Amino acid sequence: MKSTNNIDEVIFEERDIQIFNIHDTKTRLSTLQNYFFPRMDILLRYTLDIIAEVYDVNPYERMTFVHCPNHRDKAKENKDFGMVHIGVGAKRGNKPLKIIKRNGQPFSFHPTYLTFKVLPSGTIHSELLLFRQGVDDAYVARISELVKKHDEVLLPMLSLTHICHRTYNRSYEFLPLHKAISPEEVGSDGIRLMSPKYHFPVDSDRGFYDLIVAFVLLYALVESFICIGEGREPNLGKMLKQFKEWYIGLDNIEEDFEEEEGEKEEEDFELTEIPNLDSYSFVRAGKWWAVLARDKWRCLSCGRSAKEDGVLLEVDHIIPRSKGGSDDMINLQTLCKKCNIGKSNKDSTRL
């Protein structure tokens, strides 16, 4: 899988789930946005680059990013939904859609979201929410007909990528997918397609590969639903064929990649000295985030931020623990991963 966005350094750690236990709502929401969103943004952009390659589309032009929680510092009230997600939905057009709300009014935005979702239990998964709000029966019927038409190709692919469907009213009862897409199941918590949930820690060596493959497949459905909503003919059959061709080629790509990486590691092993970073010494999770918040989520060395620049932030011991440095707040500072590697545990610079 090729992409201009690098996820090799992105990891969701076990300590992350403690963020959901921060008592103050405003602090919790701010921490969720500043600590999860930069990493999830890298994962999303990496996946969208692959989608562009697989389907020969420009998802950045077609889609808009969706975030939850959508926390604003000056808002009178910020809601906590008990989870974090980032993903895509179709951009709002100038014309009303061919979708009618339950109250008879036309939609001005598409009701379908495709996201990476993080839950307080410490899991992340890919999820397609078909209908974010109640839609008219005619639109639901068109979606159901489309899925049924491509059942023979689509369902084995969903099975292959371990994607299952869950409905609000029939959570524990299996229904064929096209039958599950029915007016009875439509609503704000209606039918959704979900990949398996991967428990933290999750990174490029564990979990990301399967999450990305599931997201790429589900994108074909999103694009098709958008076409129906705009009164255009969907190309689901073509997109499923493109996905199949790409998926079959993944084994060869992954094998070549692993061989190249193995050769490179053997060549560079004796030439590369990996710094012993003192920042990886244990810092209590609550204190870790308190330091990042105090330093306004910016690297004190280069000035780059997690939210604006997408850098990975770490907490550094100013006086290394190996030299007697404490875990007190006054001895801790925020550095991005690159600057922290440059400082290492031999440097006592206060920035």
Side-chain angles (χ1 to χ4, degrees), residues 84 90 162 173 175 183 206 275 280 319:
V84 178
H162 307 292
E173 181 180 348
L175 289 174
R206 181 184 180 275
Y280 290 108
I319 300 175

Side-chain angles (χ1 to χ4, degrees), residues 176-194:
L177 182 56
H178 69 276
K179 290 186 178 180
I181 301 174
S182 65
E184 293 77 18
E185 310 299 345
V186 175
S188 59
D189 192 29
I191 183 171
R192 56 193 67 205
L193 298 176
M194 304 166 59

Side-chain angles (χ1 to χ4, degrees), residues 82-130:
M83 55 83 186
V84 178
H85 77 217
I86 182 172
V88 293
K91 288 184 177 179
R92 183 176 298 189
N94 297 324
K95 298 180 180 179
L97 301 174
K98 305 294 183 181
I99 311 171
I100 306 299
K101 297 181 182 179
R102 291 289 181 179
N103 62 9
Q105 297 297 316
F107 271 88
S108 58
F109 59 89
H110 288 272
T112 303
Y113 278 6
L114 175 58
T115 62
F116 290 113
K117 180 177 285 188
V118 172
L119 299 177
S121 57
T123 62
I124 182 171
H125 67 277
S126 303
E127 179 176 303
L128 171 60
L129 179 60
L130 274 69

Side-chain angles (χ1 to χ4, degrees), residues 12-19 35-36 39 200 289:
F12 294 96
E13 303 174 283
E14 290 184 37
R15 74 163 77 215
D16 292 345
I17 63 176
Q18 297 182 38
I19 296 176
Y35 202 63
F36 275 110
R39 288 174 291 163
F200 295 169
W289 300 313

Side-chain angles (χ1 to χ4, degrees), residues 169-229:
N169 293 326
R170 303 174 184 271
S171 299
Y172 303 104
E173 181 180 348
F174 175 79
L175 289 174
L177 182 56
H178 69 276
K179 290 186 178 180
I181 301 174
S182 65
E184 293 77 18
E185 310 299 345
V186 175
S188 59
D189 192 29
I191 183 171
R192 56 193 67 205
L193 298 176
M194 304 166 59
S195 76
K197 298 175 181 177
Y198 296 89
H199 286 268
F200 295 169
V202 180
D203 56 25
S204 57
D205 292 324
R206 181 184 180 275
F208 280 172
Y209 173 84
D210 294 324
L211 287 169
I212 290 167
V213 171
F215 198 101
V216 172
L217 174 58
L218 291 174
Y219 185 89
L221 291 173
V222 173
E223 182 69 32
S224 298
F225 298 166
I226 291 171
C227 288
I228 292 176

